[in-house]
Each structure stands twice: as structure tokens, then as C-alpha cells.
Amino acid sequence: MATPAIELKNITKTFGNVVANKDVCLSVDKGEILSILGENGSGKTTLMNMISGIYFPDHGQIMIDGKEVVIRSPKDAFDYKIGMIHQHYKLVEVFTAAQNIILGMDDDGKYSLKKSIAQIKAICDQYGFELDPNKKIYDMSVSEKQTVEIIKVLFKGADILILDEPTAVLTPQETEKLFAVLRNMKKDGKSIIIITHKLHEVLSISDHVAVLRKGEYIGTVTTSETNESELTEMMVGKKVVLDIDRSEPENSQDRLVIENLNVTNRDGIKVLDNISFSAKSGEILGIAGIAGSGQKELLEAIAGLQKLNEGNISYINPKDGKTENLRNKTPMQIRELGVRLSFVPEDRLGMGLVGNMDIVDNMMLRSYRKGKTAFLQRKKPKELAEKIINDLEVVTPSASTPVRRLSGGNVQKVLVGREISSSPTVLMAAYPVRGLDINSSYLIYNILNNEKKNGTAVIFVGEDLDVLLDLCDRILVLSSGCISGIVDARTTTKEEVGLLMTQNTKGGKGNE
């Protein structure tokens, strides 16, 4: 029997009273892709941080090629040819790709950028990467930055690669490209560990799947012999119904009417071109589009965060039926009318939540303007924090834990929960399940459905076309800042929406 490239035996790690990993055992062979699956806070990233030298285990053994090793730092990990690509990239924005890749390399003083660029190009050709070594990081898309990080560890000679949520911010097309590269690396004998929560990706890319639950190792299964419901049950410990209960819209009335919206960004580029549509009460309107098609700018324009060149945004107030022009209102006035934007960005803590503050204080951020004694009135925010922790199953020691100490998915639940708790009349949810495990995702989908049943007009921006088709009533498709179509989610197909996403339409047509 072949010796595993890396093997973990009874690895345990605690932080105070919190047990992050308990007696975890798993192994990865040469030329194998292993997926590590688990809910948010199940200890996936902590475990990988021990292999890559960021944390040191309390007890247990790490074996490389059958020999026990001690990894006390990322340098030790690199000495054993282990490289980790983190969720948040560690790149110098003003440097080129090549400069970032060779940064920190010990080359006996014989430094040659030209020679390094030739090596980088050879790595790209070998595995199928697309990268311009002379391009500055600040000019790159998210997927290009990720490519730099992967090439950086390959350049340093890594044979064992760990990728933490590598597809969290990639489009379906970028994900396919990444998977093609990973398959080439596998053919070359590299061992690859992927931390992920997307079950269909797990099934398409990996050879084996190891499942963690609440820090404990549940088991490893062969990918070809398992399915989504079995993996979900292993992750959660109970059967999870992977169904979205879509109700029929009732008493639907126009709540927002958008007419001929045009927005230009700071560089003078038109990002929204002649956008017209309506969002109705008691309905979920999905917004689909390749990343960067104008989804963010559209929601920010409605929320008053984006300056309009032309067009009108009319809000029909359910209390008195009066029409209000949102274009003349400040973001705060728009919020007070009941139009709420729950935007889950790539950087969850950079926008919307303050990392050093606890969950209760983050609830107060939304309400402190109303009262002069905000710092004395902690009772309601505390009750709200505890309700969100309970309803959305946020994994946290308590409501007074600083938000930065929560896992990414739990931060997100706090962010989404806070917006929904304000009983909005229009709720704009952008990427609310980005980075969430399957159980948490379905919790959020059902919450959005309940909002719809309560008469809220829900606008949902999502990345997963299957979910958009199952959850929404209508889907508005954006392509290069224009509307390429508005379709009935119950009767359309994934292929039709996919084609509309890639159409190069000018003029903003759309059929209501």
C-alpha cells in the first residue's frame, strides 16, 4: 500500500474552553484531491492552519511521507513542501504578479526578475494558468489574485496544496477554469486539499471527502460512492430537507418602480444602462448576471449609495399608497421608509459590521441614531442578538463575543439577520449565502420566503442559478450593465438564463 503524502493522527486543538478540533485523523495520497466538508465553525480552517504552521496542535501527529514532522511555522510547512492559499489573499497591491510571487524567496543573493518570470510562465504553461506576470495586483480581478497566490506556492516548490474556500468569490466560468488547473496538478502528482461547502463542487472535483462536525472527524467517503443528501447528513448529524418551499405570490403590488436608470462610475464608465423594472410586494425578484454586470451598483442606487446620472426610483408606500421619489432622499431617509439593503460583500467585515465590537453592539449600529441614550439601552439589541443567534444557529460562545472571532459564515448570519429583523417593506439581499454551508443556506432561503409571505418585496442577488430558479418568482438578468431579459423563474431553464447572462445587449430591454 502506498504511503500517504500527508497523514494526521488524533490532532486536537483548543482555544480556552472551545474545542476547535478533537482527535482528527485523515490522510491524503499523492495525486489525490481531498475535499474537507463541514458546517461553519466545524474546525476545517483551524485544522488546515495546523498543517500550514499557523497554529500548533495541542496533541497528535503529522506525518509526511510516513515520517513524523513538527510544523511550528509557515516556513517549516514550506520546508516540507506544504503551501496554503487562504480565503483572504496576502498580496502587495502595488507590486506586479511576478514581484509578489518571488517576494521573500531566498535565492543566495542571485536575484533575477527576468529568470523568475520565465519560471512563472513555465508553471502557467504546465498547469494551464492564465496570468500576466507584469500586471499590478490592484488591476486584477479576484480570480487573477487567486492565481497569483496558487503560483506563489508552486514557485516555492509545494507538493501539498491547501485551498480554503477557493470558489467562494468565483463565477461558474472561473470555477471551471480553476478545476481544470487542479486536475492538471493532480495528474502531476500533487496532493490537493480543498476546504469547501459547495456540495456539487465537492462531487465534481474530489476523489475523497472528509467530513468534520463540531470539530470532530466523522469519516472519509469515496466521492464516486456518495451523494449530496448523505454528505449533508454526515455534516449536520440529521437528515436535512434540501427543498425550497416556494409559495405563490399573493396580493402582489408594485413596491418599487425603476425607470430608465443610468449610472456612471468614477472612471466615467457606464455601469447601468437604461434599467427599467418593478419589484412587487409578496414576490422574490432574482437578479442574475456574471460578476461585475452591475448588480452591486443597481442595489446601491436604490439604497441611495450610488449617484444617478438619469432615471427615477419610485417607492409606493404600503401605509398610504403614496409614491415617493427615492432619488431625492438620503440613504438614511430611504432606510427609514423600510427599504433595507443586506449586502454581503467579498469582505464581510469591511462593510456592514465592526470586527472588534461584539454582536450586541453591532445590532446597536443600526439603531443608535434614534435615541440619545443608546449606550444605556442595551436590552433590545441584546434580545435581538440572542434571537438571531438562536434562529440562525450562529456558532458563538455568547452574544458578547467580538464579531471578528466568529467564522466567516457566522459573521454573515449576523449581518443578514440584523437587516431582516427590521421588518423591511423592501429587502435587498445580495449574496446572502456566500460562504455559508448548506444547512445555513437553506435557513436563509426559508427566511427570505417568510419575508415574501409577509408582503415584503424581496430582491435577491445570487450566484447559484439552481437556487435562483427554485427560490424566485421572476429573474432579471443583467449583462454588461443592461437588462438582457426578465423571465418567469417557474418556466425558464438554467440554459436560457445562462445565455441571457452572456448576451452583449445594449439598450436595456426587458419584458415584464
Side-chain angles (χ1 to χ4, degrees):
M1 194 173 153
T3 307
I6 184 165
E7 188 176 6
L8 307 185
K9 293 183 176 178
N10 302 313
I11 294 287
T12 297
K13 181 70 183 171
T14 55
F15 297 97
N17 298 327
V18 178
V19 180
N21 292 122
K22 185 182 175 191
D23 296 326
V24 176
C25 303
L26 54 90
S27 68
V28 190
D29 290 334
K30 290 176 180 134
E32 181 190 14
I33 298 177
L34 174 78
S35 287
I36 298 199
L37 203 55
E39 292 193 273
N40 297 113
S42 63
K44 305 184 296 286
T45 304
T46 303
L47 187 66
M48 294 304 107
N49 280 339
M50 283 186 275
I51 300 174
S52 61
I54 291 167
Y55 296 146
F56 189 71
D58 297 343
H59 72 77
Q61 296 169 289
I62 299 174
M63 320 284 284
I64 307 274
D65 295 330
K67 295 187 185 88
E68 186 176 352
V69 299
V70 176
I71 300 173
R72 292 188 179 277
S73 68
K75 186 184 179 304
D76 287 350
F78 268 122
D79 288 344
Y80 293 114
K81 301 196 168 182
I82 300 168
M84 182 161 173
I85 294 91
H86 296 270
Q87 234 177 318
H88 302 288
Y89 309 137
K90 294 165 173 58
L91 298 168
V92 181
E93 292 278 317
V94 294
F95 283 8
T96 63
Q99 286 167 332
N100 270 280
I101 288 163
I102 62 175
L103 199 62
M105 289 292 287
D106 186 8
D107 204 12
D108 300 327
K110 297 177 202 148
Y111 166 77
S112 162
L113 186 60
K114 194 175 173 187
K115 193 174 139 194
S116 298
I117 287 173
Q119 281 175 265
I120 291 163
K121 285 183 172 166
I123 291 171
C124 290
D125 293 343
Q126 184 178 356
Y127 298 116
F129 289 107
E130 289 173 21
L131 183 72
D132 174 0
N134 297 309
K135 193 171 182 180
K136 292 272 208 288
I137 300 297
Y138 59 70
D139 282 332
M140 290 187 175
S141 68
V142 175
S143 72
E144 287 175 300
K145 289 177 185 175
Q146 185 185 66
T147 300
V148 175
E149 288 282 22
I150 297 172
I151 293 173
K152 193 161 81 175
V153 299
L154 290 171
F155 190 86
K156 289 180 179 177
D159 286 332
I160 298 165
L161 285 90
I162 304 163
L163 293 94
D164 189 359
E165 298 283 4
T167 64
V169 291
L170 300 185
T171 66
Q173 293 87 341
E174 288 166 343
T175 298
E176 269 316 306
K177 271 189 193 171
L178 173 67
F179 284 2
V181 166
L182 294 180
R183 288 184 186 109
N184 288 338
M185 285 157 75
K186 172 184 154 178
K187 276 184 207 154
D188 191 42
K190 303 283 185 200
S191 305
I192 298 162
I193 304 172
I194 298 179
I195 302 175
T196 184
H197 62 277
K198 296 182 180 178
L199 290 180
H200 59 283
E201 290 181 0
V202 167
L203 294 169
S204 79
I205 188 69
S206 59
D207 300 298
H208 289 94
V209 187
V211 181
L212 297 181
R213 188 195 314 146
K214 294 179 180 167
E216 294 192 28
Y217 170 68
I218 301 302
T220 299
V221 290
T222 304
T223 310
S224 58
E225 295 168 4
T226 188
N227 56 44
E228 287 197 11
S229 57
E230 186 190 349
L231 290 173
T232 306
E233 197 172 333
M234 284 176 77
M235 272 164 58
V236 181
K238 59 185 181 194
K239 281 208 182 303
V240 176
V241 180
L242 302 180
D243 280 330
I244 297 169
D245 175 25
R246 174 170 52 194
S247 55
E248 288 291 332
E250 285 180 33
N251 306 322
S252 247
Q253 293 171 338
D254 283 351
R255 188 65 62 234
L256 268 185
V257 179
I258 315 292
E259 298 165 297
N260 310 318
L261 208 64
N262 286 282
V263 171
T264 305
N265 69 10
R266 287 176 194 160
D267 301 324
I269 297 161
K270 204 174 218 188
V271 286
L272 291 176
D273 188 358
N274 201 26
I275 300 287
S276 298
F277 69 93
S278 65
K280 302 173 190 294
S281 61
E283 176 195 74
I284 299 180
L285 173 70
I287 297 184
I290 291 165
S293 297
Q295 302 94 313
K296 177 173 180 273
E297 289 81 4
L298 176 58
L299 298 199
E300 287 182 350
I302 296 168
L305 301 169
Q306 189 71 255
K307 191 172 177 290
L308 310 186
N309 295 53
E310 293 171 55
N312 273 320
I313 302 170
S314 305
Y315 170 71
I316 295 97
N317 198 319
K319 289 175 187 165
D320 52 19
K322 283 186 181 165
T323 299
E324 317 230 17
N325 185 357
L326 297 191
R327 192 173 171 177
N328 305 326
K329 296 200 168 6
T330 64
M332 204 61 204
Q333 289 170 323
I334 292 169
R335 283 184 60 76
E336 280 170 2
L337 283 170
V339 179
R340 296 291 169 129
L341 171 58
S342 172
F343 191 89
V344 178
E346 288 169 24
D347 174 13
R348 301 179 182 106
L349 287 179
M351 194 171 155
L353 295 174
V354 178
N356 286 334
M357 287 166 65
D358 67 23
I359 302 174
V360 177
D361 288 341
N362 271 288
M363 296 301 127
M364 291 171 73
L365 281 178
R366 281 293 189 231
S367 57
Y368 78 99
R369 293 164 196 257
K370 291 184 179 170
K372 288 171 188 165
T373 56
F375 296 102
L376 302 176
Q377 297 175 343
R378 288 180 64 86
K379 193 175 169 219
K380 276 197 171 165
K382 188 168 191 296
E383 284 168 2
L384 173 58
E386 280 166 358
K387 185 177 188 301
I388 289 171
I389 289 166
N390 195 34
D391 292 357
L392 295 186
E393 298 171 14
V394 177
V395 179
T396 176
S398 75
S400 56
T401 301
V403 165
R404 69 183 155 71
R405 284 179 51 194
L406 304 183
S407 73
N410 286 306
V411 167
Q412 201 157 309
K413 291 181 192 176
V414 173
L415 189 62
V416 174
R418 184 182 66 185
E419 297 307 324
I420 290 168
S421 68
S422 62
S423 306
T425 52
V426 177
L427 175 66
M428 297 182 285
Y431 313 112
V433 300
R434 178 180 272 168
L436 288 187
D437 57 69
I438 194 152
N439 198 31
S440 305
S441 298
Y442 278 81
L443 268 171
I444 300 273
Y445 300 147
N446 289 323
I447 286 169
L448 293 178
N449 234 328
N450 287 337
E451 287 299 304
K452 164 186 160 177
K453 286 176 189 167
N454 293 337
T456 303
V458 180
I459 300 175
F460 171 77
V461 181
E463 294 160 308
D464 189 326
L465 286 185
D466 292 309
V467 170
L468 281 161
L469 295 177
D470 286 348
L471 177 68
C472 303
D473 299 293
R474 290 181 301 146
I475 299 171
L476 179 156
V477 188
L478 284 175
S479 176
S480 307
C482 301
I483 296 180
S484 55
I486 298 175
V487 294
D488 184 331
R490 286 172 174 79
T491 57
T492 191
T493 62
K494 205 168 158 180
E495 290 69 29
E496 184 187 6
V497 176
L499 277 173
L500 288 169
M501 281 167 72
T502 52
Q503 254 181 36
N504 193 6
T505 311
K506 286 287 165 201
K509 73 182 180 65
N511 52 312
E512 296 287 332

